[in-house]
């Protein structure tokens, strides 16, 4: 490419555009949950090794973000919310995103394997495979349950953090997985209710489009109710304690109440107050997840002082 | 269009090069730090903590 053509376009990518490819906001959630998974595990990890491990888990998450943007560029172009992403806006070529994603996937998995253990490295590779191939390429465009399956990819990071410390999987790490896995559908469907993105034009079978918005409201309630037992089981597990249990009781009561309010409304009522309940539920869902994991951290630090825990 | 010695494009390109340089530098520092930790925590006849837990 000559300099002239670049000047003509006037939009050559800066460093920030490549950072945008890694979906930094999703990455911050990955960092937080992986960190909690690593810290609450019963095996101590050297702080520098822990830091490195979390960094490469985050980089692996970023790599899958870049691969997702590479494959989904055609959808992103159609939808308003995503049209300004680096590839649809023309700042980064699709091939560049593919290359960056593949290279960072390789680096992050190998480095996590070297820094921690090969089980954790392989787990990260599986997570990237699951998010990119199983979710993005295969199921996102074929089933209205796409959000449920995509949620599994987002739920793996605390398990990887746990694997960094212990080298394996256990009941506690599966419960942390279940918490995020069951939380994701209500979280995203609430967003889909008030964002009204043009998924139908983009050819993505969102539940709001395929089964209607009333069915989506019922789905939100069902998943929120099914989520509560997993949150309570986590609180009663070996990494839980009184703090986690109290947090889980309060948060789940509020979450189910919010879902009930959504399920009882119809579109006319929601339109009248500009989706106030749906927006409030979505915001609370972020608080819900954050406080659950924060409570696990608090409980773990209390345990070091001989307090907390069961 | 007047020809400026420094086009906005060059500033952007410098930013990109600088960013990549810093990332590579950080990567080197990370590997070095990791080596220090791994080597100083290897005691004779004993594997690192993670490998020990796997056994």
């Amino acid at each position: 490419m000559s300099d002239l053509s670049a000047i003509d376009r006037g939009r050559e990518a800066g460093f920030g555009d490549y950072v945008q490819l890694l979906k930094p906001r999703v990455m911050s959630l990955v960092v937080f949950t992986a960190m909690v998974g690593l810290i609450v595990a019963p095996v101590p990890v050297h702080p520098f090794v822990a830091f490195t491990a979390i960094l490469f888990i985050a980089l692996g998450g970023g790599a899958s973000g870049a691969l997702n943007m590479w494959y989904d560029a055609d959808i992103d172009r159609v939808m308003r919310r995503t049209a300004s992403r680096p590839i649809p806006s023309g700042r980064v070529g699709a091939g560049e995103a593919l290359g960056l994603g593949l290279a960072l996937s390789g680096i992050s998995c190998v480095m996590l394997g070297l820094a921690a253990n090969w089980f954790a490295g392989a787990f990260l590779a599986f997570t990237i495979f699951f998010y990119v191939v199983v979710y993005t390429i295969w199921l996102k465009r074929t089933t209205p349950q796409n959000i449920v399956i995509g949620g599994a990819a987002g739920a793996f990071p605390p398990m990887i953090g746990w694997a960094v410390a212990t080298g394996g999987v256990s009941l506690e790490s599966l419960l942390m997985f279940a918490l995020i896995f069951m939380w994701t559908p209500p979280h995203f469907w609430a967003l889909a209710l008030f964002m009204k993105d043009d998924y139908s034009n983009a050819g993505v079978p969102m539940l709001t489009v395929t089964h209607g918005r009333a069915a989506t409201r019922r789905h939100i309630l069902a998943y929120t109710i099914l989520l509560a037992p997993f949150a309570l089981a986590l609180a009663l597990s070996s990494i839980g304690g009184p703090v986690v249990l109290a947090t889980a009781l309060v948060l789940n009561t509020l979450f189910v109440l919010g879902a009930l309010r959504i399920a009882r409304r119809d579109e006319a009522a929601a339109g009248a107050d500009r989706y106030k309940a749906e927006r409030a539920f979505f915001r609370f869902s972020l608080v819900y997840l954050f406080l659950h994991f924060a409570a696990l951290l608090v409980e773990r630090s209390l345990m070091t002082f001989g307090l907390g825990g069961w | 269009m007047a020809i400026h010695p420094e086009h906005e494009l060059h500033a952007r390109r410098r930013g990109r090069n600088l960013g990549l340089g810093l990332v590579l530098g950080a990567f080197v520092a990370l590997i070095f730090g990791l080596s220090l930790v791994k080597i100083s925590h290897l005691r004779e006849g004993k594997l690192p903590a993670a490998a020990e837990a796997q056994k």
Side-chain angles (χ1 to χ4, degrees), chain A residues 12-13 46 48 56 111 115, chain B residues 9 12-13 16 31 34 38:
Chain A
E12 186 171 323
H46 188 284
F48 192 80
F56 285 111
M111 285 307 301
Chain B
L9 180 79
R12 206 195 302 243
R13 220 170 255 178
R16 212 163 75 184
I31 302 287
L34 204 54
K38 292 267 174 188

Side-chain angles (χ1 to χ4, degrees), chain A residues 209-225:
Chain A
V209 177
T210 56
H211 290 68
R213 307 174 80 81
T216 307
R217 292 172 183 279
R218 286 194 299 275
H219 271 75
I220 290 177
L221 180 61
Y223 271 94
T224 309
I225 291 171

Side-chain angles (χ1 to χ4, degrees), chain A residues 27 30-31 33-35 38 50-64 108-109 112 120 124 127-128 156-164:
Chain A
M27 237 158 133
V30 169
V31 166
T33 56
M35 184 187 76
L38 195 156
F51 168 76
T52 317
I54 289 164
L55 194 75
F56 285 111
I57 295 172
L59 197 66
S64 56
S108 58
C109 296
L112 185 63
L124 181 62
T127 303
I128 296 172
F156 283 130
M159 285 188 82
I160 304 176
W162 181 278
V164 164

Side-chain angles (χ1 to χ4, degrees), chain A residues 264-282:
Chain A
R264 284 200 186 132
R265 278 148 72 92
D266 56 10
E267 281 308 304
D273 64 0
R274 295 167 144 258
Y275 293 90
K276 199 167 160 230
E278 289 77 4
R279 286 173 200 274
F281 182 82
F282 177 75

